[in-house]
Amino acid sequence: MLEIKELRAEIAGKEILKGINLSVGAGEVHAVMGPNGSGKSTLSAVLAGRDDYEVTGGEVVYQGKDLLDMDPEERAWEGVFLAFQYPVEIPGVSNLNFLKAAINCKREHLGQEPISAKEFLGMVKEKSKLVELDSKLANRAVNEGFSGGEKKRNEIFQMAMLEPSLSLLDETDSGLDIDALRIVANGVNTLKSSNTATVVVTHYQRLLDYIVPDYVHVLFDGRIVKTGGKELALELEEKGYDWIKNEQVEV
Amino acid sequence: MGYTEEELKQDLENKEYEFGFVTNVESDKVAPGLNEEVIRTISQKKNEPDWLLDFRLKAFKIWQKKAEPEWAHVDYEKPDFQSISYYSAPKQKKELKSLDEVDPEILKTMDRLGISLEEQKRLSGVAVDFVLDSVSVATSFKEKLGELGIIFCSFSEAVQEHPELVRKYLGTVVPTTDNFYAALNSAVFTDGSFCYIPKGVRCPMELSTYFRINEAGTGQFERTLVVADKESYVSYLEGCTAPQRDENQLHAAVVELIALDDAEIKYSTVQNWYPGDKEGKGGVFNFVTKRGVCHKNSKISWTQVETGSAVTWKYPSCILKGDNSIGEFYSVAVTNNLQQADTGTKMIHIGRNTSSTIISKGISSGKSQNSYRGLVKIAKSAQGARNFSQCDSLLMTDTSGAHTFPYIECENASAKIEHEATTSKIGEDQIFYCLQRGIDEEKAISLIVNGYAKEVLNKLPMEFAVEAQKLLEISLEGSIG
């Protein structure tokens, strides 16, 4: 589904990604782990099309198409979803209005009729249960006055509503207590299917207790330096990132 | 497919002002220039009583002594008052009895403005008065309102049919001496709307006036007078458009509202005069004086959505004279390209326990300048007065300006005055968040701006809220910088 080859990117002249190679197949869950400043968030931002970053080399093929050639909204229409590390507040715009606009923009792009009110509300009812989102939150302005946990749950709620093929979760576990973590992970697991893929970017292992990855990649200084199964995450948790750093220095 | 920035810019530049057409009706126009003779001619053409001619002539003398105000944060070439024609009316052969007799060209104009009177008659229950250039051409729903004793007609008609009411209230809220433009208007106004709601009557429908400047080289000087008698209620809407012309057109209106004891007036405006082109050529000078007086336990609420005009100078105000009276001002002012707006309100607290609320939302784009200017004055007599003001500014570009000039004068220590102000720039984070969810940039800006202005838009009657949202979208298309 997603093929990243030698991807390089910089921000304000500083190279952050120094040749990333990653292959994600349908039905798979990949975890990208790494110390602070290794380029984890940059990777998800570049994949989502944030224009603060300049791609200086490499290619990304998503479902047979050149992802880097698409505008951010086109990527969304093609099924790429990014759960933000810091979800953005949009005062005065209700969550539901926001989602309806998102769904209808996509439908318009695909040449479909706008979603009916009935169908939409049915979906809201079903999907909000998934992340135990209070129906009051659905009617409030997008992320305005939400607690950290509510914001992250809202991200997963949006993900459920938009039914993406490729979900990128950027440090979704940060700022979550254990209950919220369980709810969020449960939402992600329920949405998983043989047609979708998930890339989980995280600093800590604990999220991976709930969202079990098929592959774990260690990102260090802009490169993936180690790939393994779920046990690699445990090893990292135990030994810390210094182990990787030292290994790198030796190389 | 996604828009590139270049395409967006081009699209915006090519975007025509939707209401820039001209209606081809024969008009009866007085030669340009302003002197006593012109005023006498206007008065005579309108078959006015002597007291009204006197009112005009006195105002003219006052105007001659006054200077154009220069304190506003706007910069423009002053109009040449001698090159303006002060009277232009569509030529009509005879008095109109029904819509069928209205010039088809005028009906077509209304259609293009989206106000099909026929439609409205049947569907929406909005009574409309339509003012083309200086003269009111059609008022719908008159009979139905008449059954309740409500008078809703053109100003000229009111002068003929209800001179006692007009004489009693005209100039009582905005005196001819008030300011340069109010004096000018008082001297040369040619028509406008008049509305009277009798005691205890709740007007069952929105009353609406559409103003349109059509003729070249004319100014529009309309006069609106709304009187809500004791315990009555009325919601009044006003919309404005003008053809696209290279020269500047002058619009200097006066609106007076009188809310007697326990009455309520809701006055909503969607102002979309031609703003000029992107280089700042042409556009309407909108110099308007709007003020209401509140008697005991009464309430006046101004809501305005200002998207048009090259220069706006406008401060809808409330004089809270009666005890427990309430004044409200809700405003969204959008400026783009080289537009300039200096707008706000004055809340004058005189009665005891009077309260006022001011919510102002400015949105500046392009190279425009957008100012909020407001006065909250608490007189000695205003024991227990309260005011809450919130003035927010949203900057869409680095080249636009947002300014806030709040004035507070308080002579009574028991008063409670709160003022909040914020300035923010539309966030790239917000835009990207929308894009990532598949909402394209145009739609994202419109969502964010509408969310920002929601507190004010919510105050508009349904029919207007939709129109206002559309207008915001058009005014800001491709304006992110």
Side-chain angles (χ1 to χ4, degrees):
Chain A
M1 177 176 298
L2 181 72
E3 204 70 48
I4 305 175
K5 282 183 196 150
E6 285 300 316
L7 179 64
R8 289 170 174 272
E10 59 177 45
I11 184 163
K14 187 172 184 277
E15 189 167 54
I16 310 280
L17 302 183
K18 302 174 180 173
I20 301 270
N21 292 290
L22 183 65
S23 175
V24 179
E28 296 175 355
V29 176
H30 289 244
V32 176
M33 300 183 71
N36 291 331
S38 59
K40 299 192 300 287
S41 286
T42 301
L43 177 61
S44 46
V46 167
L47 292 178
R50 182 141 205 161
D51 66 1
D52 305 352
Y53 298 93
E54 197 190 334
V55 175
T56 50
E59 61 170 17
V60 179
V61 178
Y62 167 71
Q63 291 183 330
K65 291 176 189 160
D66 180 357
L67 187 74
L68 299 176
D69 194 38
M70 297 183 208
D71 287 330
E73 63 271 32
E74 290 177 71
R75 301 182 197 198
W77 298 333
E78 296 291 329
V80 176
F81 181 91
L82 171 65
F84 284 60
Q85 180 178 4
Y86 304 107
V88 179
E89 297 186 7
I90 309 181
V93 179
S94 86
N95 236 337
L96 292 189
N97 228 339
F98 178 76
L99 276 170
K100 205 170 183 183
I103 288 172
N104 283 337
C105 266
K106 179 177 177 176
R107 286 192 170 215
E108 196 184 325
H109 167 71
L110 297 174
Q112 296 168 346
E113 291 289 305
I115 191 166
S116 73
K118 198 179 161 204
E119 193 185 342
F120 180 71
L121 290 175
M123 240 176 122
V124 168
K125 211 171 165 188
E126 184 198 327
K127 309 286 185 181
S128 54
K129 269 191 206 138
L130 204 66
V131 285
E132 301 174 30
L133 194 77
D134 195 316
S135 61
K136 277 182 207 133
L137 283 189
N139 284 306
R140 268 170 47 192
V142 179
N143 294 321
E144 199 186 24
F146 284 29
S147 71
E150 285 168 344
K151 282 184 184 170
K152 295 298 173 76
R153 260 149 66 186
N154 194 29
E155 291 293 288
I156 307 303
F157 170 61
Q158 292 184 13
M159 178 176 142
M161 290 292 289
L162 296 172
E163 301 174 330
S165 307
L166 174 65
S167 302
L168 310 165
L169 310 185
D170 187 11
E171 310 247 4
T172 296
D173 52 334
S174 68
L176 288 188
D177 61 29
I178 202 75
D179 289 331
L181 193 67
R182 187 185 46 77
I183 292 169
V184 163
N186 186 35
V188 174
N189 289 332
T190 313
L191 294 172
K192 224 162 55 177
S193 80
S194 57
N195 304 320
T196 64
T198 311
V199 176
V200 182
V201 172
T202 180
H203 186 80
Y204 299 105
Q205 190 270 336
R206 62 172 193 165
L207 179 64
L208 306 180
D209 283 341
Y210 299 94
I211 304 173
V212 180
D214 300 300
Y215 299 94
V216 174
H217 310 275
V218 180
L219 191 61
F220 182 76
D221 193 23
R223 291 187 189 86
I224 287 174
V225 295
K226 215 174 184 59
T227 294
K230 63 183 178 203
E231 58 297 335
L232 178 58
L234 294 167
E235 205 175 343
L236 278 171
E237 181 79 356
E238 196 183 312
K239 298 185 181 170
Y241 286 111
D242 285 346
W243 160 58
I244 299 285
K245 279 184 202 163
N246 294 337
E247 216 171 60
Q248 285 302 302
V249 172
E250 278 165 32
V251 169
Chain B
M1 285 292 108
Y3 250 178
T4 65
E5 209 168 303
E6 233 5 80
E7 282 167 338
L8 254 173
K9 261 188 213 152
Q10 245 168 30
D11 231 40
L12 178 68
E13 279 170 19
N14 297 336
K15 184 102 199 167
E16 298 279 324
Y17 175 72
E18 215 182 325
F19 304 104
F21 56 87
V22 178
T23 306
N24 296 314
V25 287
E26 240 189 295
S27 70
D28 178 5
K29 193 166 151 182
V30 167
L34 182 54
N35 51 49
E36 244 189 71
E37 212 34 60
V38 167
I39 291 167
R40 283 179 194 282
T41 308
I42 293 172
S43 191
Q44 194 189 359
K45 271 186 186 292
K46 305 190 75 70
N47 194 23
E48 285 176 355
D50 289 343
W51 62 265
L52 194 50
L53 177 60
D54 285 347
F55 176 88
R56 290 177 181 280
L57 293 173
K58 268 184 203 148
F60 179 61
K61 290 213 174 74
I62 290 162
W63 177 73
Q64 283 178 309
K65 287 186 203 125
K66 280 195 177 288
E68 237 180 307
E70 287 183 348
W71 41 262
H73 188 76
V74 291
D75 182 24
Y76 60 93
E77 198 177 313
K78 297 212 164 71
D80 174 3
F81 293 98
Q82 294 305 333
S83 69
I84 293 172
S85 167
Y86 288 87
Y87 183 82
S88 162
K91 257 189 195 159
Q92 288 172 350
K93 302 270 171 337
K94 57 180 173 156
E95 208 168 291
L96 303 173
K97 290 221 172 54
S98 78
L99 273 182
D100 307 338
E101 295 174 40
V102 175
D103 188 321
E105 276 291 322
I106 292 176
L107 287 179
K108 229 194 273 169
T109 301
M110 295 192 207
D111 255 1
R112 294 174 73 171
L113 292 170
I115 31 166
S116 147
L117 288 186
E118 292 294 346
E119 274 303 288
Q120 294 215 6
K121 262 187 159 173
R122 270 187 289 117
L123 299 172
S124 66
V126 175
V128 177
D129 183 19
F130 183 78
V131 180
L132 185 69
D133 287 333
S134 306
V135 173
S136 175
V137 284
T139 304
S140 64
F141 262 121
K142 208 165 176 177
E143 281 161 36
K144 197 172 168 200
L145 294 168
E147 285 166 21
L148 292 163
I150 295 170
I151 303 166
F152 177 46
C153 61
S154 71
F155 201 91
S156 323
E157 204 178 326
V159 168
Q160 302 301 327
E161 308 281 325
H162 311 280
E164 69 298 339
L165 280 172
V166 177
R167 193 172 182 180
K168 184 172 174 190
Y169 292 108
L170 181 70
T172 58
V173 190
V174 179
T176 45
T177 50
D178 194 79
N179 68 67
F180 182 82
Y181 296 110
L184 177 63
N185 173 287
S186 301
V188 302
F189 73 87
T190 32
D191 214 330
S193 288
F194 175 80
C195 168
Y196 173 78
I197 316 290
K199 189 178 168 194
V201 171
R202 197 182 160 84
C203 185
M205 61 185 81
E206 317 276 352
L207 301 184
S208 171
T209 301
Y210 267 84
F211 294 109
R212 176 153 178 90
I213 302 176
N214 188 50
E215 276 294 310
T218 58
Q220 178 140 324
F221 305 95
E222 83 269 357
R223 190 97 193 177
T224 303
L225 180 56
V226 179
V227 182
D229 211 329
K230 291 179 182 172
E231 297 152 43
S232 69
Y233 167 85
V234 64
S235 169
Y236 196 96
L237 320 176
E238 164 190 85
C240 333
T241 56
Q244 201 163 338
R245 294 190 187 281
D246 285 346
E247 81 267 29
N248 293 109
Q249 285 172 292
L250 178 62
H251 173 246
V254 171
V255 176
E256 294 178 285
L257 309 185
I258 292 125
L260 296 176
D261 294 359
D262 303 290
E264 181 177 347
I265 302 174
K266 221 174 123 85
Y267 197 101
S268 313
T269 304
V270 172
Q271 186 265 107
N272 184 28
W273 295 119
Y274 177 53
D277 69 6
K278 63 184 194 309
E279 269 106 39
K281 195 169 183 197
V284 170
F285 290 158
N286 191 32
F287 302 146
V288 172
T289 309
K290 291 181 165 183
R291 195 174 303 153
V293 62
C294 285
H295 291 261
K296 223 186 282 170
N297 305 321
S298 69
K299 179 175 172 183
I300 288 180
S301 189
W302 298 100
T303 305
Q304 59 171 20
V305 175
E306 303 276 317
T307 60
S309 298
V311 181
T312 297
W313 179 97
K314 178 180 167 188
Y315 315 91
S317 304
C318 297
I319 300 171
L320 303 169
K321 189 173 158 194
D323 292 351
N324 312 313
S325 59
I326 299 170
E328 293 176 336
F329 174 74
Y330 301 102
S331 169
V332 177
V334 183
T335 51
N336 199 351
N337 298 320
L338 287 165
Q339 279 177 277
Q340 305 175 72
D342 194 300
T343 183
T345 184
K346 286 193 272 187
M347 292 290 174
I348 316 289
H349 294 252
I350 298 169
R352 296 164 72 92
N353 300 317
T354 46
S355 70
S356 60
T357 305
I358 299 170
I359 310 277
S360 164
K361 302 270 183 178
I363 302 165
S364 337
S365 189
K367 294 178 185 162
S368 67
Q369 296 295 329
N370 199 327
S371 305
Y372 166 81
R373 186 183 303 276
L375 168 69
V376 175
K377 187 185 165 93
I378 314 280
K380 236 180 219 161
S381 54
Q383 188 73 14
R386 284 163 167 269
N387 162 265
F388 173 77
S389 304
Q390 186 187 331
C391 308
D392 296 332
S393 310
L394 186 65
L395 291 166
M396 310 284 287
T397 56
D398 294 332
T399 45
S400 58
H403 316 270
T404 305
F405 305 98
Y407 304 86
I408 295 171
E409 292 172 21
C410 183
E411 296 172 9
N412 186 312
S414 70
K416 202 173 157 191
I417 302 169
E418 292 172 76
H419 181 91
E420 287 176 13
T422 64
T423 301
S424 50
K425 190 158 186 288
I426 194 159
E428 277 170 33
D429 285 351
Q430 289 177 327
I431 302 268
F432 181 68
Y433 192 66
C434 293
L435 292 176
Q436 208 301 306
R437 297 301 184 249
I439 300 169
D440 60 49
E441 184 162 330
E442 296 273 290
K443 183 86 190 148
I445 291 172
S446 125
L447 263 182
I448 294 166
V449 167
N450 273 304
Y452 165 79
K454 194 177 175 186
E455 274 171 281
V456 174
L457 297 177
N458 277 350
K459 298 288 172 187
L460 287 174
M462 264 305 265
E463 302 88 343
F464 251 30
V466 177
E467 191 181 332
Q469 279 190 18
K470 247 174 50 190
L471 255 181
L472 284 186
E473 237 159 90
I474 293 168
S475 308
L476 289 169
E477 238 160 52
S479 62
I480 189 81

